[in-house]
Amino acid sequence: MLHTPICDLLGIQAPIIQAAIAPYTSAELVAAVVGAGGFGSIGTAMRSADEVKAEIARTKEMTDRPFAVNFTMTSFSQELWDYVLEARPAAISLALGDPGDLVQQAHDAGARVIQQVHTVEQGRQAVGRGVDAIIAQGTEAGGFGGVIATMTLVPQVVDAVAPIPVLAAGGIADGRGLAAALTLGAQGVNVGTRFLATTEAPINDHWKQMIVDAKSEDAVKVEFLDSVFPKPEGMFETSPRSLRTTFIDEWNTRRDDAVYASEHLRALIVTSLERNHAEDMVPFGGQSAGLIHEILPAAEVVRRMVADAELALDRAGSMRSSTEGTIA
Ligand SMILES: Cc1cc2nc3c(=O)[nH]c(=O)nc-3n(C[C@H](O)[C@H](O)[C@H](O)COP(=O)(O)O)c2cc1C
């Protein structure tokens, strides 16, 4: 089985993290992933404290393997943070802003800290804060992201933050993506969209089918969302990527109007989330949707990713020996 040093750091067998896809993480999804040897994440964004507390308790009932709890700096809850530190997860992952002294607080509570970044500079800053691992997330990713592609970002972050381990994210949905990430110098992958299209993901079947049917070009940046949900000062420069809907197509071309209609648009989006029908409005999803052709159990995603990465790495190795001596 593929095994990299970050597996030992996190106490897992396979270097695959089921990303925080808050609020669409669940105890069932995390338990399936960790049961197959990967690492699971529970997201806190867009959820009530009670909901997250119940999810952590259920996850602990379903598995005694390690998992992460994720916080975004844009919707940070102090109450939940204090609770999570007491719950002592194996790791805390942080995203969308400078983690500041949260890193030290997490360490004091015995948790590893993984920080998501979108630029080399953010990676350097996170290392300065003392994080244990970095997620370098390329623009292909579903959810909030920057503008640099995974292929370009990962090796630069690997060089800038060495020897801190890096996980690649954005556009990775199969074993070839995992193999590519490892050859770029990452020690594993953080995967979101692929795990949304699993049996255990708590989204409705229509959204899962949208992912299966989508081409990569259907995963578009939602340029007007900042007008609807303004980010607090000082956050990383990001915008969300979502599968296209008629709602997004309309408001992406009416960004000035979206400022004036922001209250109305916010109500529409929040209602769609509350009804578990995000796919009507803004169903976050990445370009890797073009690589996803069926809804699978999450454990099967982990198994196939590992097996196919090993094949891809073998294939790459055999190319090297078969071309030896052929270049003049
Ligand atoms: C529906 C959805 C929700 C997300 N929510 C979060 C979140 O709450 N916190 C976070 O750090 N990242 C979030 N992300 C980003 C993922 O953690 C991950 O970095 C990304 O999905 C990786 O790219 P991929 O979608 O190409 O696999 C979200 C992504 C998706 C698709």
mmCIF file of all heavy atoms in Angstrom, residues 55-91:
data_model
loop_
_atom_site.group_PDB
_atom_site.id
_atom_site.type_symbol
_atom_site.label_atom_id
_atom_site.label_comp_id
_atom_site.label_asym_id
_atom_site.label_seq_id
_atom_site.Cartn_x
_atom_site.Cartn_y
_atom_site.Cartn_z
ATOM 1 N N GLU A 55 -22.313 15.725 15.458
ATOM 2 C CA GLU A 55 -21.584 15.010 14.403
ATOM 3 C C GLU A 55 -20.269 14.446 14.933
ATOM 4 O O GLU A 55 -19.885 13.309 14.612
ATOM 5 C CB GLU A 55 -21.309 15.993 13.255
ATOM 6 C CG GLU A 55 -21.205 15.364 11.901
ATOM 7 C CD GLU A 55 -22.506 14.756 11.422
ATOM 8 O OE1 GLU A 55 -23.429 15.507 11.108
ATOM 9 O OE2 GLU A 55 -22.596 13.521 11.369
ATOM 10 N N ILE A 56 -19.585 15.221 15.759
ATOM 11 C CA ILE A 56 -18.327 14.733 16.344
ATOM 12 C C ILE A 56 -18.622 13.548 17.267
ATOM 13 O O ILE A 56 -17.939 12.517 17.218
ATOM 14 C CB ILE A 56 -17.608 15.864 17.117
ATOM 15 C CG1 ILE A 56 -17.108 16.933 16.134
ATOM 16 C CG2 ILE A 56 -16.442 15.318 17.939
ATOM 17 C CD1 ILE A 56 -16.523 18.171 16.790
ATOM 18 N N ALA A 57 -19.671 13.674 18.070
ATOM 19 C CA ALA A 57 -20.014 12.576 19.002
ATOM 20 C C ALA A 57 -20.362 11.313 18.215
ATOM 21 O O ALA A 57 -19.901 10.204 18.545
ATOM 22 C CB ALA A 57 -21.180 13.001 19.883
ATOM 23 N N ARG A 58 -21.150 11.472 17.146
ATOM 24 C CA ARG A 58 -21.540 10.292 16.340
ATOM 25 C C ARG A 58 -20.318 9.666 15.665
ATOM 26 O O ARG A 58 -20.193 8.455 15.565
ATOM 27 C CB ARG A 58 -22.550 10.702 15.253
ATOM 28 C CG ARG A 58 -23.944 10.847 15.796
ATOM 29 C CD ARG A 58 -25.039 10.765 14.768
ATOM 30 N NE ARG A 58 -24.757 11.410 13.507
ATOM 31 C CZ ARG A 58 -24.716 10.776 12.351
ATOM 32 N NH1 ARG A 58 -24.942 9.477 12.287
ATOM 33 N NH2 ARG A 58 -24.479 11.442 11.234
ATOM 34 N N THR A 59 -19.391 10.528 15.191
ATOM 35 C CA THR A 59 -18.199 9.995 14.532
ATOM 36 C C THR A 59 -17.391 9.160 15.520
ATOM 37 O O THR A 59 -16.913 8.069 15.184
ATOM 38 C CB THR A 59 -17.337 11.145 13.958
ATOM 39 O OG1 THR A 59 -18.155 11.970 13.145
ATOM 40 C CG2 THR A 59 -16.183 10.616 13.137
ATOM 41 N N LYS A 60 -17.275 9.673 16.748
ATOM 42 C CA LYS A 60 -16.504 8.934 17.761
ATOM 43 C C LYS A 60 -17.175 7.615 18.127
ATOM 44 O O LYS A 60 -16.498 6.655 18.501
ATOM 45 C CB LYS A 60 -16.313 9.804 19.002
ATOM 46 C CG LYS A 60 -15.266 10.898 18.779
ATOM 47 C CD LYS A 60 -14.997 11.660 20.042
ATOM 48 C CE LYS A 60 -13.706 12.449 19.930
ATOM 49 N NZ LYS A 60 -13.457 13.272 21.100
ATOM 50 N N GLU A 61 -18.516 7.584 18.017
ATOM 51 C CA GLU A 61 -19.219 6.316 18.267
ATOM 52 C C GLU A 61 -18.955 5.313 17.141
ATOM 53 O O GLU A 61 -18.871 4.114 17.359
ATOM 54 C CB GLU A 61 -20.736 6.550 18.320
ATOM 55 C CG GLU A 61 -21.246 6.989 19.688
ATOM 56 C CD GLU A 61 -22.664 7.553 19.573
ATOM 57 O OE1 GLU A 61 -23.414 7.122 18.663
ATOM 58 O OE2 GLU A 61 -22.969 8.442 20.362
ATOM 59 N N MET A 62 -18.797 5.837 15.909
ATOM 60 C CA MET A 62 -18.683 4.953 14.742
ATOM 61 C C MET A 62 -17.264 4.465 14.488
ATOM 62 O O MET A 62 -17.065 3.465 13.801
ATOM 63 C CB MET A 62 -19.210 5.663 13.488
ATOM 64 C CG MET A 62 -20.713 5.883 13.541
ATOM 65 S SD MET A 62 -21.337 6.753 12.096
ATOM 66 C CE MET A 62 -21.354 5.437 10.905
ATOM 67 N N THR A 63 -16.262 5.232 14.975
ATOM 68 C CA THR A 63 -14.877 4.822 14.735
ATOM 69 C C THR A 63 -13.965 5.334 15.841
ATOM 70 O O THR A 63 -14.233 6.390 16.413
ATOM 71 C CB THR A 63 -14.362 5.357 13.370
ATOM 72 O OG1 THR A 63 -13.012 4.937 13.207
ATOM 73 C CG2 THR A 63 -14.422 6.874 13.281
ATOM 74 N N ASP A 64 -12.915 4.567 16.117
ATOM 75 C CA ASP A 64 -11.921 5.104 17.056
ATOM 76 C C ASP A 64 -10.663 5.549 16.309
ATOM 77 O O ASP A 64 -9.629 5.827 16.904
ATOM 78 C CB ASP A 64 -11.596 4.088 18.168
ATOM 79 C CG ASP A 64 -11.166 2.748 17.605
ATOM 80 O OD1 ASP A 64 -10.940 2.687 16.374
ATOM 81 O OD2 ASP A 64 -11.055 1.790 18.385
ATOM 82 N N ARG A 65 -10.775 5.638 14.964
ATOM 83 C CA ARG A 65 -9.627 6.107 14.175
ATOM 84 C C ARG A 65 -9.579 7.637 14.144
ATOM 85 O O ARG A 65 -10.593 8.302 14.342
ATOM 86 C CB ARG A 65 -9.727 5.553 12.750
ATOM 87 C CG ARG A 65 -9.611 4.038 12.741
ATOM 88 C CD ARG A 65 -9.240 3.510 11.398
ATOM 89 N NE ARG A 65 -9.067 2.070 11.469
ATOM 90 C CZ ARG A 65 -8.795 1.309 10.433
ATOM 91 N NH1 ARG A 65 -8.666 1.836 9.241
ATOM 92 N NH2 ARG A 65 -8.644 0.011 10.583
ATOM 93 N N PRO A 66 -8.382 8.194 13.859
ATOM 94 C CA PRO A 66 -8.252 9.657 13.900
ATOM 95 C C PRO A 66 -8.962 10.359 12.738
ATOM 96 O O PRO A 66 -9.102 9.804 11.651
ATOM 97 C CB PRO A 66 -6.730 9.862 13.806
ATOM 98 C CG PRO A 66 -6.178 8.612 13.237
ATOM 99 C CD PRO A 66 -7.116 7.500 13.592
ATOM 100 N N PHE A 67 -9.400 11.588 13.018
ATOM 101 C CA PHE A 67 -10.005 12.429 11.974
ATOM 102 C C PHE A 67 -9.755 13.903 12.322
ATOM 103 O O PHE A 67 -9.272 14.209 13.419
ATOM 104 C CB PHE A 67 -11.511 12.146 11.841
ATOM 105 C CG PHE A 67 -12.323 12.402 13.077
ATOM 106 C CD1 PHE A 67 -12.895 13.645 13.311
ATOM 107 C CD2 PHE A 67 -12.514 11.390 14.019
ATOM 108 C CE1 PHE A 67 -13.641 13.886 14.460
ATOM 109 C CE2 PHE A 67 -13.263 11.619 15.172
ATOM 110 C CZ PHE A 67 -13.827 12.869 15.395
ATOM 111 N N ALA A 68 -10.084 14.782 11.376
ATOM 112 C CA ALA A 68 -9.866 16.221 11.588
ATOM 113 C C ALA A 68 -11.195 16.949 11.727
ATOM 114 O O ALA A 68 -12.227 16.490 11.229
ATOM 115 C CB ALA A 68 -9.099 16.803 10.399
ATOM 116 N N VAL A 69 -11.151 18.085 12.407
ATOM 117 C CA VAL A 69 -12.281 19.016 12.396
ATOM 118 C C VAL A 69 -11.778 20.285 11.722
ATOM 119 O O VAL A 69 -10.666 20.736 11.993
ATOM 120 C CB VAL A 69 -12.789 19.312 13.819
ATOM 121 C CG1 VAL A 69 -13.938 20.323 13.771
ATOM 122 C CG2 VAL A 69 -13.243 18.029 14.514
ATOM 123 N N ASN A 70 -12.593 20.820 10.816
ATOM 124 C CA ASN A 70 -12.157 21.956 9.993
ATOM 125 C C ASN A 70 -12.860 23.263 10.378
ATOM 126 O O ASN A 70 -14.062 23.268 10.630
ATOM 127 C CB ASN A 70 -12.455 21.633 8.516
ATOM 128 C CG ASN A 70 -12.255 22.829 7.593
ATOM 129 O OD1 ASN A 70 -13.179 23.578 7.301
ATOM 130 N ND2 ASN A 70 -11.029 23.010 7.131
ATOM 131 N N PHE A 71 -12.087 24.330 10.398
ATOM 132 C CA PHE A 71 -12.644 25.672 10.622
ATOM 133 C C PHE A 71 -12.211 26.571 9.467
ATOM 134 O O PHE A 71 -11.059 26.521 9.036
ATOM 135 C CB PHE A 71 -12.093 26.282 11.912
ATOM 136 C CG PHE A 71 -12.649 25.670 13.163
ATOM 137 C CD1 PHE A 71 -12.111 24.501 13.683
ATOM 138 C CD2 PHE A 71 -13.720 26.254 13.818
ATOM 139 C CE1 PHE A 71 -12.628 23.925 14.833
ATOM 140 C CE2 PHE A 71 -14.244 25.679 14.979
ATOM 141 C CZ PHE A 71 -13.696 24.518 15.495
ATOM 142 N N THR A 72 -13.136 27.399 8.997
ATOM 143 C CA THR A 72 -12.731 28.447 8.063
ATOM 144 C C THR A 72 -12.688 29.754 8.849
ATOM 145 O O THR A 72 -13.536 29.983 9.724
ATOM 146 C CB THR A 72 -13.722 28.593 6.887
ATOM 147 O OG1 THR A 72 -14.985 29.004 7.397
ATOM 148 C CG2 THR A 72 -13.864 27.288 6.134
ATOM 149 N N MET A 73 -11.717 30.594 8.530
ATOM 150 C CA MET A 73 -11.589 31.859 9.258
ATOM 151 C C MET A 73 -12.753 32.803 8.935
ATOM 152 O O MET A 73 -13.021 33.746 9.668
ATOM 153 C CB MET A 73 -10.263 32.555 8.893
ATOM 154 C CG MET A 73 -9.021 31.810 9.345
ATOM 155 S SD MET A 73 -8.992 31.521 11.117
ATOM 156 C CE MET A 73 -9.415 29.827 11.226
ATOM 157 N N THR A 74 -13.462 32.524 7.820
ATOM 158 C CA THR A 74 -14.566 33.405 7.419
ATOM 159 C C THR A 74 -15.826 33.158 8.248
ATOM 160 O O THR A 74 -16.688 34.018 8.326
ATOM 161 C CB THR A 74 -14.897 33.207 5.928
ATOM 162 O OG1 THR A 74 -14.951 31.807 5.668
ATOM 163 C CG2 THR A 74 -13.859 33.845 5.046
ATOM 164 N N SER A 75 -15.969 31.963 8.806
ATOM 165 C CA SER A 75 -17.167 31.734 9.646
ATOM 166 C C SER A 75 -16.743 31.044 10.934
ATOM 167 O O SER A 75 -17.242 29.984 11.284
ATOM 168 C CB SER A 75 -18.216 30.916 8.887
ATOM 169 O OG SER A 75 -17.692 29.671 8.500
ATOM 170 N N PHE A 76 -15.800 31.690 11.606
ATOM 171 C CA PHE A 76 -15.195 31.106 12.805
ATOM 172 C C PHE A 76 -16.112 31.304 14.024
ATOM 173 O O PHE A 76 -16.607 32.400 14.260
ATOM 174 C CB PHE A 76 -13.846 31.779 13.056
ATOM 175 C CG PHE A 76 -13.101 31.200 14.215
ATOM 176 C CD1 PHE A 76 -12.408 30.012 14.079
ATOM 177 C CD2 PHE A 76 -13.100 31.836 15.443
ATOM 178 C CE1 PHE A 76 -11.716 29.472 15.159
ATOM 179 C CE2 PHE A 76 -12.414 31.306 16.523
ATOM 180 C CZ PHE A 76 -11.725 30.113 16.384
ATOM 181 N N SER A 77 -16.310 30.243 14.782
ATOM 182 C CA SER A 77 -17.118 30.338 16.007
ATOM 183 C C SER A 77 -16.250 30.011 17.217
ATOM 184 O O SER A 77 -15.725 28.895 17.325
ATOM 185 C CB SER A 77 -18.306 29.366 15.920
ATOM 186 O OG SER A 77 -18.689 28.944 17.215
ATOM 187 N N GLN A 78 -16.099 30.979 18.104
ATOM 188 C CA GLN A 78 -15.264 30.766 19.297
ATOM 189 C C GLN A 78 -15.842 29.648 20.173
ATOM 190 O O GLN A 78 -15.110 28.812 20.702
ATOM 191 C CB GLN A 78 -15.172 32.080 20.101
ATOM 192 C CG GLN A 78 -14.204 32.032 21.268
ATOM 193 C CD GLN A 78 -12.739 31.880 20.837
ATOM 194 O OE1 GLN A 78 -12.293 32.564 19.934
ATOM 195 N NE2 GLN A 78 -12.013 30.961 21.469
ATOM 196 N N GLU A 79 -17.178 29.611 20.295
ATOM 197 C CA GLU A 79 -17.829 28.583 21.124
ATOM 198 C C GLU A 79 -17.465 27.186 20.623
ATOM 199 O O GLU A 79 -17.078 26.301 21.383
ATOM 200 C CB GLU A 79 -19.349 28.773 21.084
ATOM 201 C CG GLU A 79 -20.094 27.720 21.917
ATOM 202 C CD GLU A 79 -21.550 27.541 21.512
ATOM 203 O OE1 GLU A 79 -22.107 28.412 20.816
ATOM 204 O OE2 GLU A 79 -22.123 26.496 21.889
ATOM 205 N N LEU A 80 -17.553 27.043 19.292
ATOM 206 C CA LEU A 80 -17.256 25.737 18.701
ATOM 207 C C LEU A 80 -15.770 25.391 18.827
ATOM 208 O O LEU A 80 -15.394 24.241 19.078
ATOM 209 C CB LEU A 80 -17.667 25.786 17.228
ATOM 210 C CG LEU A 80 -18.125 24.493 16.597
ATOM 211 C CD1 LEU A 80 -19.064 23.730 17.500
ATOM 212 C CD2 LEU A 80 -18.790 24.801 15.267
ATOM 213 N N TRP A 81 -14.941 26.404 18.643
ATOM 214 C CA TRP A 81 -13.488 26.196 18.749
ATOM 215 C C TRP A 81 -13.154 25.646 20.144
ATOM 216 O O TRP A 81 -12.439 24.648 20.271
ATOM 217 C CB TRP A 81 -12.766 27.514 18.477
ATOM 218 C CG TRP A 81 -11.281 27.462 18.670
ATOM 219 C CD1 TRP A 81 -10.580 27.932 19.738
ATOM 220 C CD2 TRP A 81 -10.311 26.897 17.772
ATOM 221 N NE1 TRP A 81 -9.224 27.712 19.561
ATOM 222 C CE2 TRP A 81 -9.035 27.076 18.368
ATOM 223 C CE3 TRP A 81 -10.395 26.274 16.531
ATOM 224 C CZ2 TRP A 81 -7.857 26.640 17.758
ATOM 225 C CZ3 TRP A 81 -9.214 25.845 15.919
ATOM 226 C CH2 TRP A 81 -7.971 26.018 16.537
ATOM 227 N N ASP A 82 -13.700 26.283 21.177
ATOM 228 C CA ASP A 82 -13.421 25.840 22.546
ATOM 229 C C ASP A 82 -13.902 24.401 22.748
ATOM 230 O O ASP A 82 -13.223 23.578 23.360
ATOM 231 C CB ASP A 82 -14.105 26.767 23.564
ATOM 232 C CG ASP A 82 -13.506 28.172 23.527
ATOM 233 O OD1 ASP A 82 -12.376 28.313 23.020
ATOM 234 O OD2 ASP A 82 -14.169 29.116 23.982
ATOM 235 N N TYR A 83 -15.077 24.107 22.198
ATOM 236 C CA TYR A 83 -15.629 22.759 22.332
ATOM 237 C C TYR A 83 -14.726 21.725 21.632
ATOM 238 O O TYR A 83 -14.417 20.670 22.187
ATOM 239 C CB TYR A 83 -17.041 22.718 21.721
ATOM 240 C CG TYR A 83 -17.596 21.320 21.681
ATOM 241 C CD1 TYR A 83 -18.223 20.768 22.801
ATOM 242 C CD2 TYR A 83 -17.458 20.522 20.542
ATOM 243 C CE1 TYR A 83 -18.704 19.470 22.778
ATOM 244 C CE2 TYR A 83 -17.932 19.228 20.514
ATOM 245 C CZ TYR A 83 -18.551 18.715 21.638
ATOM 246 O OH TYR A 83 -19.018 17.428 21.608
ATOM 247 N N VAL A 84 -14.304 22.087 20.424
ATOM 248 C CA VAL A 84 -13.493 21.138 19.637
ATOM 249 C C VAL A 84 -12.154 20.866 20.319
ATOM 250 O O VAL A 84 -11.680 19.734 20.358
ATOM 251 C CB VAL A 84 -13.311 21.651 18.182
ATOM 252 C CG1 VAL A 84 -12.243 20.869 17.441
ATOM 253 C CG2 VAL A 84 -14.634 21.554 17.434
ATOM 254 N N LEU A 85 -11.550 21.918 20.878
ATOM 255 C CA LEU A 85 -10.277 21.691 21.584
ATOM 256 C C LEU A 85 -10.473 20.686 22.723
ATOM 257 O O LEU A 85 -9.637 19.814 22.951
ATOM 258 C CB LEU A 85 -9.716 23.001 22.129
ATOM 259 C CG LEU A 85 -9.201 24.021 21.108
ATOM 260 C CD1 LEU A 85 -8.467 25.150 21.811
ATOM 261 C CD2 LEU A 85 -8.295 23.390 20.058
ATOM 262 N N GLU A 86 -11.617 20.801 23.407
ATOM 263 C CA GLU A 86 -11.882 19.854 24.499
ATOM 264 C C GLU A 86 -12.153 18.450 23.975
ATOM 265 O O GLU A 86 -11.838 17.456 24.632
ATOM 266 C CB GLU A 86 -13.075 20.325 25.326
ATOM 267 C CG GLU A 86 -12.648 21.300 26.405
ATOM 268 C CD GLU A 86 -13.807 21.748 27.268
ATOM 269 O OE1 GLU A 86 -14.732 20.952 27.496
ATOM 270 O OE2 GLU A 86 -13.775 22.903 27.715
ATOM 271 N N ALA A 87 -12.735 18.367 22.780
ATOM 272 C CA ALA A 87 -13.034 17.054 22.180
ATOM 273 C C ALA A 87 -11.767 16.363 21.677
ATOM 274 O O ALA A 87 -11.772 15.174 21.373
ATOM 275 C CB ALA A 87 -14.024 17.215 21.028
ATOM 276 N N ARG A 88 -10.664 17.117 21.581
ATOM 277 C CA ARG A 88 -9.353 16.591 21.221
ATOM 278 C C ARG A 88 -9.345 15.723 19.948
ATOM 279 O O ARG A 88 -9.005 14.536 19.993
ATOM 280 C CB ARG A 88 -8.763 15.780 22.384
ATOM 281 C CG ARG A 88 -8.450 16.650 23.572
ATOM 282 C CD ARG A 88 -7.770 15.886 24.681
ATOM 283 N NE ARG A 88 -7.175 16.824 25.621
ATOM 284 C CZ ARG A 88 -5.916 17.253 25.565
ATOM 285 N NH1 ARG A 88 -5.104 16.814 24.641
ATOM 286 N NH2 ARG A 88 -5.466 18.118 26.433
ATOM 287 N N PRO A 89 -9.677 16.318 18.791
ATOM 288 C CA PRO A 89 -9.532 15.559 17.549
ATOM 289 C C PRO A 89 -8.045 15.376 17.234
ATOM 290 O O PRO A 89 -7.214 16.133 17.745
ATOM 291 C CB PRO A 89 -10.195 16.465 16.506
ATOM 292 C CG PRO A 89 -10.038 17.833 17.050
ATOM 293 C CD PRO A 89 -10.074 17.711 18.560
ATOM 294 N N ALA A 90 -7.728 14.386 16.394
ATOM 295 C CA ALA A 90 -6.321 14.149 16.044
ATOM 296 C C ALA A 90 -5.741 15.370 15.349
ATOM 297 O O ALA A 90 -4.572 15.699 15.523
ATOM 298 C CB ALA A 90 -6.222 12.934 15.129
ATOM 299 N N ALA A 91 -6.570 16.037 14.546
ATOM 300 C CA ALA A 91 -6.077 17.205 13.803
ATOM 301 C C ALA A 91 -7.175 18.242 13.657
ATOM 302 O O ALA A 91 -8.365 17.917 13.701
ATOM 303 C CB ALA A 91 -5.578 16.778 12.424
#
